[in-house]
Amino acid sequence: DLARTGVGRELILAAQRELRAMSPVPMFWCKARRIAVPFYERLGWRIVSEEFVIEHYGPHVIMEASCTT
């Protein structure tokens, strides 16, 4: 029910702020489901791997964002 309400965006941005405040991290990364790639790209993340499959969960890629995103 919360899809496309901005909750996910705010959660990611808040997590990034908290992590930067706790430690000088150089980047963030995640294993993103292929279907979620546009969501992360809108937040400034970029794909840094070839597509791979996680059994039972489908196609994924690794994505990164700089610590200033």
Side-chain angles (χ1 to χ4, degrees):
D1 291 341
L2 297 176
R4 303 201 183 280
T5 65
V7 172
R9 178 188 188 329
E10 290 306 315
L11 181 61
I12 295 291
L13 295 175
Q16 287 177 295
R17 283 191 300 272
E18 285 293 315
L19 290 168
R20 279 195 298 271
M22 293 169 50
S23 174
V25 295
M27 78 172 116
F28 302 103
W29 72 273
C30 72
K31 292 179 184 175
R33 290 180 302 143
R34 191 44 122 155
I35 197 168
V37 166
F39 166 78
Y40 287 103
E41 287 177 330
R42 285 191 297 274
L43 294 174
W45 293 60
R46 67 188 178 286
I47 297 171
V48 296
S49 76
E50 296 294 323
E51 186 174 291
F52 57 95
V53 175
I54 297 178
E55 190 174 354
H56 306 294
Y57 298 98
H60 284 67
V61 292
I62 294 177
M63 298 190 76
E64 292 181 349
S66 75
C67 64
T68 60
T69 300

